[in-house]
Amino acid sequence: MCVTPRRGACAAVCPYVPVLLVTALSSCVLALADPGLPQEVASDPTGASTDAPAPQPPEPPPDEASATAEEAPVKSTVVRGALPARSASEVTLGRDILDAAPRRNAVDLLRAVPGLVASQHSGEGKAQQLFLRGFDALHGQDVELNVGGLPVNEVSHIHALGYADVNFVIPEVVQSLDVTEGSYRASQGDFAVAGTVRMDLGVEEPGVHLIGTLGQYGQRRLVATVRPGEDAGTFAAVELGEGKGFGAQRSYGRASLLAQATASLGGGLTVRALGGSYVTRFDSPGVVREDDLLAGRDTFFSAPLGRQGGSVSRHQLLLGVDLPRTGTGRTKLEVFGILSDLRLRNNFTGFRVDERGDGLEQTNDGMTLGARAEHRRTVFIAGRPVALELGLGARRDSVEQAQRRYRESDGTFFSDEIDARFTQTDVWGWTEARMPLGRWSLRLGGRADALGVEVFDALAFRDPRYYDGQGYARSAFGVHLGAKAGIEYALGDDADAWRLFASYGDGFRSPQARSLSEGERAPFVSIRGAEVGSRKDGEHWAVQLSLFGSQVDNDFFFDHTVGTTVYTGETLRSGLSAALQARPLPGLVTSVSATLAHAYVRASNTLLPYFAPLVARADVGWDGQPPWAWGSTLSLGTGLTFIGPRPLPFDERSATVFLADAHVAIRRGELGLRLEVSNLLDARWRDGEFVYSSRFDPGAPASLVPARHFTAGSPRMASLSLEVHL
Amino acid sequence: MMKRRHILTGALALAAASTALGGCGSESQRRTFPVEVTSTPMTGANERGWTVTVESAHLSVGPVRFFEGRALQARRFDWYTLIGGTAHAHPGHYSPGDALGELLSTQTVDLLTGATLGDASAVTGEYGSLELTLPAPTTSTDAQGVLSGHAMRVRGTARNADGGEVRFDAMASLARPIEGVRFEKSLGMEPGRVRIAVNLGTWLGRIDFATATDPDADGVYTFPADSQAQNALARGVEDTTAYVVTWVEGAAQ
Amino acid sequence: MKKWMLGLSCLGLMACSDGAGTVTFTTYGEDFIEKEIPAAVDGEDGIVDGWTVRFSKFLVVIGEVKVGNHDETAAEMKQARVFDVHKPGPVVVEAFRDVPAQAWDHVSYAIAPDANAVAGNADAADVTRMKDNGYSVFLEGTATRGDQTKRFAWGFTTNTLYEHCESPGLGAGVTVPKDGEETVQLTIHGDHLFFDDLQSPDAKMRFDALAAADKMGIAGADGEVTLEELAAVDLTELPSGQYGTGGVGNVRTLRDFITALTRNLGHYRGEGECSPRAR
C-alpha cells in the first residue's frame, strides 16, 4: 500500500509539487519493491553500458576501470564513458584526452571541459575565475568541483562565494574528468548551477615515476608518483614547484601531496582512503589600467601595485567504504575532513577609496567535516526494473574570516572591516529513479538541502562610546527543495545509437553566511534549468549536442574587485553546446567542443558583461612508434583555445583570444623527454578584463569614471621535462 | 564605521565606492566633450546696496567631475519663494551616484574672457550634477601668479548709493570641492560642449564692502579674515547656484 | 527508508508555507532629547560653547512608515501619528503583523505635516497645535550657561521622507523572522539642530549664535529666541568657520539653517542613517 503524503491546500500553489510527486513515487516504489527478485534484467535493451544495468557509482570501482582498460592495453581505447550518461551534456574525459595537450596545473585540466573558460587573474595560488554555460562563476559559485569525493568549493568564503581552489591537484594523477553540465542530476549539490566537474584520481603506469621540469622564467617542477601495484587508484604523488613568473610579481612556490589507497577487505567490502596536503605562497601582479598602457606609463606585464599575493594551505582526508553488494544494491559511505587556510592580499583600485591605499587583506580559515552515504539498487515496479539512487549527507564548515585594509606604504593595517566566525551546516538528501520503457527512459529525482548557519560578527556594535558590549551573533535556517527530471529516447536498439534527451533541474547555491540576519529563512539562490539534446556514444567517436537555458530569479552580480553587490533581478541564459571526442585512428585522440551562450538581465534587457558568448576548445594528441624512432614512443599534442569577444560595459568588447599549446615527447624504456610550449604563437592576450574606476597614482586626481583594466595572460612559455619511469 | 553625530552619511563614501559598475550593460557608450568656463556679469546692486564693476576675475579650476546623482535643489518650483520666504532647499544628503565624466587637469581661467578647460572623458547617460574643484594654483597652473596662491581672485570697484567707493582685491580659497552643482541632461553621442558660467553676481552678492579694510593704505581694500565681507565672499564662491552649467549643442567652434 | 521518504515529504510541506512575522516600529529621542544636551567636557559629545540644552517638548509627526523591497511593499502605515519623544521611550509607532518572513531592504518613513494625524503619545493639545499650524516638528526647551538662560519654542513645517534606511550593524531595511518579532527603532537625534555645518562630518554643536540672536522684543533681549529673531541673522555676519552651508543655495539666515537641519532629525535603529528627501 502506498504511503502518500498529505496533499494539503499547499498543493495547489506550492511549486514543490514535483518533489512531492517524487517522494510519493519513491515511497510507492519502495513499498512495492521486492529486492529479493533475481537479476533478470541483463536483457535490458536500452542499457547504454555493457555492464550490469544497476546504475554505476560516479567513480569507477577498481574492477570496472580495469574492465575498460582490458579491452585495449594501449591508448586507443574504445570510447565508452565510465558510467552511462543520463543527459545530453554529461561527458567523461579520459586520461588520453587529458594527456593530449600540455597541462601545467589543474586548471589546464579544467580547460578541457566543454564550454569552460578559466581565467587566472591573481597569481598562481588563487582560485581561477570560471565561466560556464552563460554563468560567470566567479571563483566557483556556479561550478561544483569535486576531487575524488572531496568537495572543493568553500561555503561563504570571504573572497567569493563558493571559492574553489583546485591548485592542490597534481595533473599527473588525474585519470578522468566526469563532467555533468547543467544541474539536472539529483546528486549535484551546492554550487552546481552551471555544472559539476569531478576529478577521479589514478596513476597510469605502475612503478615509480619521476619528472623534473625546467622551464622559462625560472620555472622548476619536480613530481614523483608511486603506484605500487596493479590498481591505478592506489598511489602516492608529490609535487614541488616554483617559478619567478613571466613578469613582475608573479613568483610562486608550491608543494602538494596526494595519496589514495584502495583495498578490498574480502566479502565485497572495499575501503578507500584519499588524503592530501598542499601549501603555496604566491605573489600577484594585480591589474593594469588600459589607459596607463596606452599612455606608456605601464607595460603589458607590469605590476603597478606591490604587496599583492597570498598563501594557501589545505589538508584533507577522505575515508570511504563500499559495502558488500546485497542483490542489486550497492552502498557507499564516505567521511571527509578538510582544513583550509587562506590569506589573500589584493588591491584592485589603488587609492580610490582611501588615500592610504585600498589594499584588502582577507583571511579565511575553515574546517570542513562531512559524511555522505549513497545507495543504488534496482527495484521492480510492475515487472519493470527501475534504477534507484539515494543519497544522504551532511557537511559542517566552521570558518573564521577577517578582512582588513593595509597601507600601501608599509603594509600595516589601518582598518578592520570584517572579523567574523560562523558555523554552517548543510544536511541533504536526494533521490533519483530511472525507469526504462523500451526505447524510452524516464528519470525523476528530487533533492532537499537544509542549511543552518550561526554567525558571530565581532566588529558590530563595538564602539565603546555607544555600546557597552561587543559583537553581534545571529543564526538562520532555510531549506531548498529541487526537482530533477529527464526523458530519454534512443533512436536504435544498439548501444551506440543516437539518443535524444530532455532534462530539467533546479540548482542552487547557498547564501553568504555573513549576509544573513537573525531568524532569517536562509535564502538560497535558486536556478531553474532545462536542456534538450542528443548524444551518440559510438565505437570510435562520441558526440554530445545540447540546447540549454536557465533562469535565475534574484540574481546578483558581485564585483569582488570593489566589494559591491549589484542586484540584477531576473537573469536568463541560453545557449548551444557541441562536443566531440574521437579516436579515429590508432594513437590519435581528439576532443573538440564549442559553446555558444547568451546571458542577459531581463529587467534592463542588457547582456551580462564579461561573459564570452562563443568559446571553443580542441585537444588533439597522437602517440605512436614511428619507424625511425628506434622503438621509442613519440607523442605529439596540442590544445587550442578560442574565446570570442566578451561584452564589456559601455558598449565595448574585449579582444578575441586564440591560444595554442603544444607538446612533443619521446619515450624509450624508462626515460622520457618532453618539451611543452604554452601559448606557442606568443599571443598577447588579456586574461581578465574588468571595467571599474580606480586610482593608481595617489599624487594625481582620482579618475572616477569606470575605466578598463586587465590582467595579462601568459606569453609563450616553454619547459623541458625529463621523465624517469622505474 | 559611522561616526556618531555627523550629518553626512556614509552614503557619500558608499556612493563613491559604488561608482564601479556604472552602466553594467551595453547601453552606455564612451565619449568626450569639451568643457568651457565663462562668467556672467553682475547686474545692478548687490543685497547690501553696492554696485560692482569688475576689472579682473580669475579662477583656478579643475578637476571637474560629472555625476548621475541629482543636485539638492528641489525640482519643483517652490512657491514659497515668491512670497518672500527662502525655499527650504536643503534635504541634507547629496548622493553623487555613478561618475559619468571627468576632466582631471587644473587650469587658471580668466573669467572675463572665458576659456576651454579641455576635453572631459565621459560616458553617455543621465547626468544630474557636477562637482567643481577649485584648488590652490601651483606655479605650473598659474604661471603669471594672478591668483596669489588662492583659488579665486576678483578685483574691481564697488560703489554704493551713499557715494562710498571701494577699490577691492578679493581672494578666497576653498577647503573642499563644490559638490552638487546642478547639471541635468540626458546625454547621448550628440556633439556639443558643457559650459560652466560663473555668476559673478552670486559671488559678490552678499558682500558688505564697508567691512573691507585697507591695512597698507595703498587704496586697494582687502577683506580681513573675520570680516563679513570675507564670510560673504566665501559663501558666495561655494554656493552651488553661482555656477550655471548648460549643454551647448553643435560642433566645437 | 520509508520513514526517510515521509520525512522528506514533510520537509516539502514545511517549505511550502513561507511564514510571516511581526515588525514593530518604535521611536525614541535618546538621552539628548529625554534628558539634556550637555556642554562638551573633555572631548565628550556636547555643545562646545558651554551651553546646556534641555527640551520640555519635542513633537514629531511620523507617518508613511513603509517596509518593502524594490519590487513590492510588504507593509505600510496608513495613519500619521504625533509623538512627543521627550516623554520616556521608546514608544511604539506601529506594529505590522503577518509580514512575509524575509529580508526587506527598503524601509522608509516620513516626518511631515499631516492634517489627519492622531496622537501617538502626545497630548491632545499638542496634536491640535501641530495640525493647526501645519507643523511636522515642534520643540520647546531652555538653554543655560552659567546664569544665562534662553527659552525657545520653534515649529517647523518641513516635509521630509527618509528613504533607504540602513543600520551599520544590522544592514539595510529589516529582516522579518518567521513567526517572530523584529523591532525597528526610528531614532530622533535632537542634537542635530545645533550643528554648525550642514554637511561636514566635523560639525560641532553650538548655541552662542542662537543665543545672540535674541535681540528683538519690546525690551531687547527678552530671554526667548524666536524664529523671527533667527531669521534676522544673516549667516555672513557670524564668525567665519561656523555655520557652513557647503555651497547649498538659499540658506541665508540662521532660521534657514536650523530649518535645513530639521531634515537630519530622523535616523534609524540608533546610529543608522537614511537618505532624506525634501518634499
Side-chain angles (χ1 to χ4, degrees):
Chain A
M1 208 189 89
C2 269
V3 178
T4 52
R6 267 181 305 119
R7 306 273 184 97
C10 215
V13 297
C14 184
Y16 301 112
V17 165
V19 180
L20 291 173
L21 281 173
V22 166
T23 52
L25 185 67
S26 317
S27 316
C28 290
V29 158
L30 280 172
L32 291 175
D34 184 352
L37 275 178
Q39 300 182 28
E40 290 173 339
V41 295
S43 59
D44 181 12
T46 61
S49 85
T50 52
D51 294 312
Q56 287 152 27
E59 75 284 350
D63 49 354
E64 285 180 1
S66 50
T68 325
E70 270 158 29
E71 288 164 8
V74 295
K75 280 188 182 166
S76 56
T77 51
V78 170
V79 175
R80 287 263 180 233
L83 56 120
R86 300 284 173 235
S87 72
S89 48
E90 289 174 34
V91 65
T92 300
L93 302 172
R95 182 185 294 283
D96 49 359
I97 293 173
L98 298 179
D99 283 347
R103 313 268 177 210
R104 257 187 317 124
N105 50 32
V107 164
D108 286 337
L109 287 169
L110 286 180
R111 291 191 216 275
V113 171
L116 184 89
V117 175
S119 158
Q120 180 175 320
H121 64 248
S122 261
E124 289 281 328
K126 193 172 152 191
Q128 285 70 17
Q129 185 167 2
L130 304 174
F131 300 84
L132 180 63
R133 288 208 152 190
F135 285 93
D136 176 0
L138 291 176
H139 291 293
Q141 72 178 26
D142 293 321
V143 181
E144 184 192 23
L145 293 170
N146 183 305
V147 173
L150 286 164
V152 180
N153 301 77
E154 297 186 52
V155 296
S156 297
H157 196 274
I158 194 169
H159 186 76
L161 204 55
Y163 189 85
D165 180 5
V166 286
N167 293 316
F168 67 89
V169 173
I170 306 170
E172 281 79 359
V173 305
V174 176
Q175 77 176 357
S176 67
L177 287 184
D178 282 331
V179 179
T180 308
E181 295 202 8
S183 181
Y184 318 118
R185 304 295 305 273
S187 55
Q188 294 177 276
D190 200 359
F191 308 113
V193 166
T196 302
V197 178
R198 186 192 154 108
M199 297 189 188
D200 282 315
L201 304 181
V203 168
E204 197 180 358
E205 293 181 29
V208 176
H209 189 179
L210 297 166
I211 308 173
T213 305
L214 278 180
Q216 277 183 288
Y217 308 109
Q219 186 198 354
R220 277 142 187 58
R221 187 165 176 259
L222 179 68
V223 175
T225 68
V226 176
R227 179 180 135 179
E230 281 309 308
D231 173 21
T234 301
F235 67 89
V238 70
E239 173 190 6
L240 301 169
E242 66 171 13
K244 278 215 291 291
F246 54 85
Q249 276 176 234
R250 289 173 168 83
S251 65
Y252 66 94
R254 82 154 70 98
S256 178
L257 163 75
L258 277 176
Q260 182 174 266
T262 317
S264 208
L265 297 184
L269 187 72
T270 313
V271 296
R272 179 171 77 99
L274 168 63
S277 267
Y278 163 72
V279 65
T280 181
R281 193 202 164 277
F282 58 96
D283 290 328
S284 161
V287 293
V288 177
R289 276 182 73 110
E290 191 77 42
D291 48 23
D292 282 347
L293 179 70
L294 290 171
R297 289 186 287 265
D298 279 326
T299 61
F300 193 77
F301 297 112
S302 60
L305 291 167
R307 301 191 192 284
Q308 298 181 72
S311 60
V312 176
S313 78
R314 191 185 184 101
H315 308 278
Q316 45 205 344
L317 180 65
L318 177 143
L319 299 169
V321 165
D322 277 354
L323 296 180
R325 299 191 193 201
T326 54
T328 61
R330 312 164 64 132
T331 310
K332 181 175 73 168
L333 305 169
E334 284 175 350
V335 296
F336 55 87
I338 304 171
L339 287 171
S340 87
D341 296 277
L342 168 91
R343 173 174 172 248
L344 271 184
R345 281 187 318 280
N346 280 314
N347 186 347
F348 287 108
T349 55
F351 300 86
R352 195 197 71 200
V353 175
D354 193 301
E355 285 191 339
R356 295 167 282 191
D358 298 341
L360 271 186
E361 169 159 323
Q362 296 173 319
T363 57
N364 196 93
D365 299 334
M367 179 173 75
T368 306
L369 294 171
R372 62 167 85 89
E374 285 173 13
H375 178 79
R376 288 163 175 73
R377 69 193 309 155
T378 307
V379 298
F380 288 85
I381 303 175
R384 297 201 160 276
V386 171
L388 193 63
E389 294 180 26
L390 302 162
L392 295 172
R395 171 181 167 160
R396 173 192 184 271
D397 293 78
S398 67
V399 180
E400 288 186 16
Q401 315 183 311
Q403 178 169 304
R404 303 181 184 92
R405 290 204 173 268
Y406 63 83
R407 273 182 196 83
E408 272 308 310
S409 55
D410 59 6
T412 53
F413 299 129
F414 65 82
S415 167
D416 284 354
E417 292 189 345
I418 297 175
D419 185 0
R421 55 176 189 271
F422 64 86
T423 307
Q424 183 165 329
T425 305
D426 183 7
V427 179
W428 69 81
W430 56 269
T431 180
E432 193 170 78
R434 178 172 179 271
M435 180 192 294
L437 299 165
R439 287 202 182 163
W440 292 89
S441 286
L442 302 174
R443 181 174 58 82
L444 198 56
R447 187 186 172 104
D449 283 76
L451 183 72
V453 177
E454 182 236 311
V455 182
F456 176 71
D457 191 349
L459 293 183
F461 304 118
R462 72 163 181 185
D463 191 329
R465 290 179 296 169
Y466 317 121
Y467 307 110
D468 37 23
Q470 274 191 46
Y472 184 57
R474 48 200 191 273
S475 48
F477 179 82
V479 174
H480 179 270
L481 298 179
K484 321 268 183 179
I487 297 177
E488 181 187 327
Y489 177 68
L491 291 177
D493 289 331
D494 317 328
D496 57 358
W498 280 95
R499 290 186 287 154
L500 305 176
F501 292 85
S503 313
Y504 170 83
D506 289 330
F508 68 96
R509 61 172 110 93
S510 55
Q512 185 72 263
R514 273 191 346 267
S515 71
L516 301 174
S517 305
E518 174 65 38
E520 184 173 356
R521 261 189 73 238
F524 291 85
V525 176
S526 211
I527 293 91
R528 278 175 273 277
E531 178 188 75
V532 166
S534 72
R535 67 184 300 137
K536 179 176 163 68
D537 296 289
E539 180 81 11
H540 289 291
W541 54 281
V543 69
Q544 303 92 39
L545 297 164
S546 71
L547 186 66
F548 56 87
S550 60
Q551 179 248 8
V552 184
D553 256 343
N554 286 313
D555 208 355
F556 59 82
F557 180 88
F558 179 68
D559 190 341
H560 62 285
T561 57
V562 292
T564 53
T565 302
V566 179
Y567 286 92
T568 51
E570 190 186 358
T571 51
L572 295 172
R573 294 165 174 82
S574 56
L576 186 64
S577 152
L580 168 77
Q581 299 89 43
R583 294 164 177 86
L585 303 168
L588 183 66
V589 61
T590 58
S591 168
V592 179
S593 71
T595 304
L596 195 62
H598 179 249
Y600 80 104
V601 178
R602 186 115 179 268
S604 58
N605 205 27
T606 52
L607 287 176
L608 270 178
Y610 306 126
F611 186 81
L614 174 64
V615 298
R617 171 84 191 178
D619 295 84
V620 182
W622 176 83
D623 53 358
Q625 297 188 329
W628 48 266
W630 310 300
S632 317
T633 308
L634 181 70
S635 325
L636 301 168
T638 181
L640 306 170
T641 307
F642 173 84
I643 304 173
R646 289 165 273 183
L648 298 175
F650 307 118
D651 215 24
E652 292 177 328
R653 294 201 160 246
S654 68
T656 307
V657 173
F658 179 74
L659 299 170
D661 304 331
H663 77 255
V664 65
I666 192 156
R667 162 105 180 255
R668 184 195 178 84
E670 286 92 26
L671 291 180
L673 197 64
R674 170 187 290 259
L675 174 70
E676 286 184 349
V677 183
S678 65
N679 193 357
L680 185 65
L681 307 172
D682 203 14
R684 178 160 281 208
W685 62 290
R686 287 162 174 73
D687 197 346
E689 293 211 59
F690 314 94
V691 176
Y692 60 91
S693 62
S694 69
R695 178 185 188 186
F696 285 162
D697 181 359
S703 164
L704 297 182
V705 176
R708 246 165 115 153
H709 299 69
F710 67 90
T711 55
S714 63
R716 176 165 50 219
M717 293 215 303
S719 63
L720 191 63
S721 305
L722 179 68
E723 303 170 17
V724 177
H725 308 252
L726 302 169
Chain B
M1 311 300 132
M2 300 262 180
K3 265 181 68 171
R4 175 169 210 206
R5 298 305 192 193
H6 68 96
I7 295 175
L8 187 65
T9 57
L12 194 55
L14 269 176
S18 71
T19 52
L21 275 188
C24 173
S26 40
E27 349 157 86
S28 285
Q29 290 173 279
R30 292 193 193 271
R31 64 159 298 161
T32 63
F33 52 79
V35 178
E36 53 185 49
V37 179
T38 63
S39 62
T40 51
M42 223 174 136
T43 50
N46 76 356
E47 286 174 22
R48 302 285 172 148
W50 295 84
T51 309
V52 181
T53 315
V54 174
E55 284 163 20
S56 73
H58 290 86
L59 182 67
S60 166
V61 63
V64 177
R65 301 182 190 279
F66 297 84
F67 291 98
E68 117 191 291
R70 293 195 155 217
L72 291 180
Q73 284 89 346
R75 271 163 252 161
R76 288 190 308 276
F77 183 68
D78 195 326
W79 295 103
Y80 190 38
T81 59
L82 284 183
I83 56 172
T86 49
H88 302 154
H90 175 81
H93 301 253
Y94 160 64
S95 167
D98 292 336
L100 297 178
E102 63 196 12
L103 193 157
L104 297 177
S105 56
T106 303
Q107 259 189 54
T108 300
V109 174
D110 180 341
L111 288 173
L112 297 180
T113 56
T116 302
L117 294 178
D119 282 343
S121 50
V123 298
T124 61
E126 298 291 322
Y127 284 63
S129 56
L130 183 148
E131 177 195 276
L132 206 53
T133 308
L134 305 180
T138 61
T139 45
S140 52
T141 65
D142 181 19
Q144 285 124 3
V146 293
L147 287 168
S148 303
H150 289 91
M152 62 77 68
R153 187 174 186 187
V154 175
R155 277 179 283 200
T157 309
R159 294 180 186 81
N160 69 0
D162 301 333
E165 182 172 315
V166 175
R167 275 196 73 214
F168 65 90
D169 184 359
M171 292 168 281
S173 288
L174 297 186
R176 289 197 303 264
I178 302 171
E179 298 174 326
V181 177
R182 170 187 255 155
F183 174 56
E184 286 167 11
K185 168 112 186 100
S186 189
L187 189 66
M189 297 297 292
E190 67 269 29
R193 56 199 183 282
V194 168
R195 175 176 293 156
I196 303 173
V198 177
N199 187 339
L200 294 172
T202 311
W203 270 15
L204 306 172
R206 297 161 78 178
I207 301 175
D208 182 0
F209 289 87
T211 62
T213 61
D214 184 9
D216 53 2
D218 61 352
V220 176
Y221 284 71
T222 53
F223 301 163
D226 289 330
S227 63
Q228 190 273 353
Q230 187 64 24
N231 195 323
L233 176 68
R235 287 176 188 273
V237 172
E238 66 181 20
D239 188 342
T240 57
T241 60
Y243 306 93
V244 177
V245 186
T246 49
W247 175 259
V248 179
E249 304 225 350
Q253 60 277 53
Chain C
M1 265 312 174
K2 288 185 202 181
K3 286 206 176 76
W4 184 83
M5 287 298 173
L6 263 179
L8 190 60
S9 339
C10 288
L11 265 182
L13 287 169
M14 183 182 89
C16 275
S17 59
D18 260 344
T22 304
V23 187
T24 303
F25 280 84
T26 62
T27 184
Y28 182 43
E30 296 185 322
D31 281 352
F32 276 177
I33 296 181
E34 288 187 8
K35 297 195 176 62
E36 67 176 23
I37 307 176
V41 173
D42 291 336
E44 292 283 319
D45 278 337
I47 303 185
V48 302
D49 44 19
W51 291 86
T52 301
V53 170
R54 285 184 199 87
F55 294 102
S56 54
K57 268 195 220 297
F58 202 112
L59 299 161
V60 286
V61 181
I62 296 182
E64 296 176 63
V65 176
K66 211 151 62 156
V67 176
N69 59 23
H70 55 277
D71 278 334
E72 53 176 308
T73 302
E76 196 168 348
M77 180 179 178
K78 300 282 185 284
Q79 169 80 65
R81 294 201 177 87
V82 181
F83 292 92
D84 184 356
V85 287
H86 172 66
K87 296 191 181 173
V91 60
V92 172
V93 171
E94 175 117 359
F96 299 109
R97 295 183 205 292
D98 291 325
V99 181
Q102 62 180 80
W104 299 99
D105 54 359
H106 283 33
V107 169
S108 61
Y109 67 100
I111 295 181
D114 192 314
N116 301 319
V118 298
N121 68 345
D123 301 331
D126 287 326
V127 176
T128 313
R129 185 216 310 261
M130 300 298 274
K131 294 205 301 200
D132 289 346
N133 293 296
Y135 287 153
S136 54
V137 177
F138 178 83
L139 44 122
E140 197 178 80
T142 54
T144 46
R145 178 171 66 184
D147 51 0
Q148 284 182 292
T149 304
K150 298 284 179 191
R151 298 183 310 280
F152 55 87
W154 300 328
F156 300 94
T157 58
T158 44
N159 185 326
T160 311
L161 177 68
Y162 296 93
E163 308 179 286
H164 309 302
C165 296
E166 184 169 340
S167 157
L170 298 169
V174 62
T175 301
V176 179
K178 183 165 171 255
D179 302 325
E181 180 177 351
E182 184 78 354
T183 305
V184 176
Q185 184 189 95
L186 305 177
T187 319
I188 309 291
H189 286 178
D191 56 324
H192 282 9
L193 293 171
F194 303 105
F195 270 11
D196 69 351
D197 196 297
L198 288 182
Q199 288 184 340
S200 166
D202 299 322
K204 298 183 181 24
M205 291 189 262
R206 294 181 192 278
F207 196 82
D208 262 345
L210 281 72
D214 179 23
K215 295 194 277 280
M216 289 166 36
I218 301 168
D222 61 353
E224 168 145 11
V225 182
T226 61
L227 285 176
E228 288 70 31
E229 289 172 326
L230 292 177
V233 177
D234 189 313
L235 292 177
T236 60
E237 287 158 15
L238 294 174
S240 64
Q242 292 180 17
Y243 296 97
T245 55
V248 176
N250 294 330
V251 175
R252 296 170 164 267
T253 66
L254 266 185
R255 177 183 182 164
D256 295 336
F257 197 90
I258 298 192
T259 308
L261 286 173
T262 60
R263 297 203 189 268
N264 298 317
L265 286 173
H267 283 258
Y268 189 69
R269 294 183 118 164
E271 303 306 313
E273 312 249 356
C274 309
S275 295
R277 178 150 66 94
R279 299 191 299 185

